[in-house]
Amino acid sequence: MSDFTGRTALITGSTSGIGRGIADKLAGSGARVLITGRDLERGHNAVAEIRAAGGKADFIAADLHDAASAKALAAEAVALAGEVDILVNSAGIFILGPTAALTEADFDATYNINVKALYFLVAALAPPMAERGRGAIINITTAFAEKGAVGPAIYGSSKAAVGLLTKSWAAEFGPSGVRVNEVSPGAVLTEGTQRVFGEAVHDFPNGTPANRVGTPAEIAAAVVFLASDEASYIHGASIAVDGGMAI
Ligand SMILES: NC(=O)c1ccc[n+]([C@@H]2O[C@H](COP(=O)([O-])OP(=O)(O)OC[C@H]3O[C@@H](n4cnc5c(N)ncnc54)[C@H](OP(=O)(O)O)[C@@H]3O)[C@@H](O)[C@H]2O)c1
């Protein structure tokens, strides 16, 4: 198992779901994790539970929606921890519906968190990693970034943008020792998918090889691998952890 002792990981969207699973696994492997999200209660609970399990964790409240909010989070993380060695971008929203039914507000909300804030967080944290000659950034995208379907046009396109950003940043920061990769989940059982889709979340994987929803821990396993030195030759890659949904 990888040992992240002495490294700090900032995981956006780690008050819930996939981000929380990633935080648990990184903390369990020795990393100091910085939990972040808007919900103070869930944030403080996550920190308490990780510490109770013997891990190192702190919470930074952040509502990510623009460049200023992303830069403020980066500054707080650096002020708290000194440096960020691993950045996982898991904060995101998924609003699905027929194209004409979705609103400009839906479009802006999706792109503001899924693309814009993510972009400026990387812009703030990747250069210092590059100066130190070491770092790992993992973006969480989706099987719907590659797959045409009725409903996820705004959501999938926002994550497709992140897919291209992943490759662009791998080219830009990789030569300085910063590896940038992505994990592309299929349908995963989380607080978010239960809230948005209810029991219907279990229908998404029908007919896929796995034929079931995934767990945050299954996504986290791939993220931890990409963050580790075991993945030292992997740049700009996308690992599908989707039960075969994208094939
Ligand atoms: N679950 C799936 O089936 C699935 C599949 C493919 C990809 N994904 C991707 O995986 C990521 C996590 O999904 P999930 O299912 O774990 O969702 P979730 O349970 O709803 O968790 C979303 C996280 O993002 C944070 N967040 C949302 N809006 C935010 C904002 N404006 N500012 C700061 N933080 C914000 C939430 O924190 P607060 O509520 O505390 O703000 C929460 O911690 C998303 O990027 C999603 O697109 C999920």
Side-chain angles (χ1 to χ4, degrees):
M1 198 162 108
S2 302
D3 183 4
F4 292 93
T5 304
R7 294 195 214 175
T8 296
L10 171 62
I11 305 111
T12 70
S14 43
T15 54
S16 171
I18 290 174
R20 174 64 201 276
I22 294 165
D24 286 349
K25 223 177 245 306
L26 282 169
S29 305
R32 175 185 183 180
V33 296
L34 305 180
I35 302 288
T36 186
R38 295 161 301 179
D39 191 304
L40 304 188
E41 192 182 344
R42 286 195 305 192
H44 291 305
N45 286 345
V47 167
E49 285 166 19
I50 290 169
R51 287 183 182 169
K56 298 186 195 70
D58 295 283
F59 175 61
I60 306 171
D63 181 349
L64 292 169
H65 55 277
D66 61 5
S69 57
K71 284 179 194 168
L73 172 59
E76 272 202 68
V78 170
L80 187 66
E83 54 193 44
V84 173
D85 305 293
I86 299 161
L87 169 64
V88 182
N89 287 305
S90 188
I93 57 170
F94 26 89
I95 303 172
L96 273 55
T99 296
L102 296 184
T103 64
E104 184 176 3
D106 294 330
F107 188 99
D108 287 345
T110 302
Y111 271 74
N112 284 347
I113 171 80
N114 291 10
V115 185
K116 191 177 191 180
L118 179 152
Y119 180 96
F120 285 102
L121 192 58
V122 171
L125 290 173
M129 288 180 185
E131 272 172 38
R132 293 194 298 274
R134 193 176 89 159
I137 297 172
I138 297 105
N139 297 321
I140 306 301
T141 59
T142 172
F144 287 119
E146 304 255 341
K147 194 178 167 69
V150 178
I154 290 180
Y155 171 58
S157 65
S158 75
K159 294 291 191 174
V162 175
L164 199 277
L165 288 172
T166 301
K167 291 178 187 170
S168 302
W169 289 327
E172 183 174 352
F173 299 111
S176 305
V178 183
R179 293 182 303 98
V180 187
N181 293 290
E182 74 176 51
V183 170
S184 175
V188 179
L189 198 59
T190 65
E191 293 92 321
T193 51
Q194 283 177 301
R195 188 181 59 248
V196 174
F197 307 115
E199 283 303 301
V201 68
H202 294 280
D203 297 337
F204 282 103
N206 282 348
T208 63
N211 206 32
R212 64 165 174 84
V213 291
T215 65
E218 288 174 309
I219 309 305
V223 172
V224 168
F225 166 66
L226 286 173
S228 77
D229 295 340
E230 305 290 306
S232 53
Y233 200 52
I234 303 182
H235 289 260
S238 176
I239 298 186
V241 187
D242 63 359
M245 184 181 271
I247 59 175

